[in-house]
Amino acid sequence: MEIGKRRLTHRYDADARVICMDQSTFATSPLATSALAAGGLLGGFAIARTTKNRQLGGAVLAAVGVACTASWNASAGPKVAGALLGTYLVGFGASHPLAKKIGAWPAVSVAAGATAAASLVLTRS
């Protein structure tokens, strides 16, 4: 499996705040990112359901979405990253009406599987 490597560097302003990050050593694996995307959907749902705090589940979903998008961008470029982020978000949205027909966990599992499959297909070289 080919792993893309880029170097991560930071530039700081006068107050030691990061003002620029160049992703030139960011290693990505299509399989790992696909699993992370599926885990973000499943984990976000599990946390929201377990804690009864939808915002916390949404925060997990968002954080994983950001991490996956950065990885997709590094390995396949911004167009593919945007398409996969869209798939991730549509999967999240589509799981809600689907849950009324097949149940919550099966619906989230379908969305997670579809997102992971799309990620694998679009990021493999």
Side-chain angles (χ1 to χ4, degrees), residues 100-112:
K100 292 179 181 176
K101 297 183 187 229
I102 66 173
W105 277 110
V108 174
S109 297
V110 166

Side-chain angles (χ1 to χ4, degrees), residues 92-121:
F92 167 71
S95 69
H96 290 79
L98 186 59
K100 292 179 181 176
K101 297 183 187 229
I102 66 173
W105 277 110
V108 174
S109 297
V110 166
T115 301
S119 175
L120 276 175
V121 168

Side-chain angles (χ1 to χ4, degrees), residues 56-114:
L56 184 58
V60 170
L61 183 84
V64 172
V66 168
C68 287
T69 303
S71 180
W72 291 325
N73 187 46
S75 65
K79 288 182 183 177
V80 171
L84 288 170
L85 176 60
T87 302
Y88 183 77
L89 295 174
V90 167
F92 167 71
S95 69
H96 290 79
L98 186 59
K100 292 179 181 176
K101 297 183 187 229
I102 66 173
W105 277 110
V108 174
S109 297
V110 166

